[in-house]
Amino acid sequence: MWIVRVALSRPYTFIVLALLILMMSPLVILRTPTDIFPSINIPVIAVAWTFTGLNPQELEGRLTTVYERQLTRTVDNVEHIESTTVNGIAVVKIFLHANANVAIANAEVTAVSQAILRQLPAGTVPPLILNYTASDVSVLQLGLSGQGLSEQQLNDIGVNFVERSSRRSRAPRSRFRMAASRARST
């Protein structure tokens, strides 16, 4: 209530303050940086292993755990490692520190992946290795529907037209998902 009394007793002061705020607003708006998608520098190396015929528990015991142990011994600047193992596919994400040299870490991951192939079950193929940062991950999730179209037809439309037109994007996530689904189907 007190501010109303002050505004009524000193109207010119409040008019000057309002004009000052109005004149300073464009300057403040132009100088304030805004970014909807800020650059987040958390380098990640994703490694996708495929080995058909093993259930997730066997694949984790024979491949994922052994590989994670080798990574912790060999690769520098690792912040933490996350892995997901499903039927026939093991995806290991190596999160690096912000100041890490991604090229050196990528070379170390590739070297470990090639060297460990001898210790893994027979028939294991070299993994798919992708580099990305947290700000490279796609933000678009698209659902397709159509009256009278089967799931197979919608999948063909999505893979042949929508996915190809989205390849212009720098984000590796769509390529990684497509590679993982292709590896799963072979």
Side-chain angles (χ1 to χ4, degrees):
M1 244 1 210
W2 65 270
I3 196 155
V4 175
R5 286 190 195 126
V6 172
L8 291 174
S9 66
R10 299 181 180 185
Y12 293 119
T13 305
F14 276 84
I15 291 173
V16 169
L17 285 174
L19 288 174
L20 184 64
I21 290 172
L22 187 66
M23 289 187 313
M24 295 299 286
S25 294
L27 178 66
V28 170
I29 289 171
L30 291 175
R31 293 182 68 194
T32 303
T34 56
D35 192 358
I36 296 172
F37 304 113
S39 178
I40 303 169
N41 188 21
I42 302 172
V44 180
I45 299 175
V47 182
W49 291 89
T50 57
F51 191 86
T52 55
L54 289 179
N55 64 28
Q57 291 80 17
E58 291 178 19
L59 190 59
E60 182 179 0
R62 292 183 176 187
L63 193 144
T64 310
T65 305
V66 175
Y67 184 63
E68 285 179 353
R69 284 185 189 147
Q70 283 294 87
L71 285 174
T72 57
R73 292 182 202 146
T74 311
V75 181
D76 295 329
N77 290 319
V78 174
E79 182 183 332
H80 71 278
I81 298 173
E82 294 177 5
S83 62
T84 305
T85 307
V86 294
N87 286 331
I89 297 176
V91 178
V92 180
K93 293 180 187 174
I94 303 121
F95 291 83
L96 305 171
H97 290 286
N99 61 352
N101 187 339
V102 180
I104 292 173
N106 191 21
E108 291 171 345
V109 167
T110 304
V112 168
S113 301
Q114 294 299 320
I116 202 170
L117 277 172
R118 294 187 203 113
Q119 299 173 12
L120 298 177
T124 305
V125 295
L128 173 67
I129 301 173
L130 292 172
N131 299 332
Y132 61 93
T133 63
S135 58
D136 286 340
V137 176
S138 301
V139 217
L140 176 68
Q141 182 175 1
L142 182 67
L144 295 176
S145 65
Q147 293 181 354
L149 294 175
S150 68
E151 188 175 338
Q152 177 76 29
Q153 291 170 324
L154 287 173
N155 185 38
D156 289 342
I157 290 170
V159 169
N160 294 325
F161 298 107
V162 177
E163 195 265 333
R164 282 188 183 174
S165 64
S166 70
R167 282 189 186 167
R168 295 182 196 118
S169 169
R170 277 187 38 225
R173 183 173 214 161
S174 63
R175 292 192 302 257
F176 185 77
R177 283 189 177 163
M178 293 306 293
S181 67
R182 285 187 190 125
R184 199 176 314 139
S185 65
T186 57

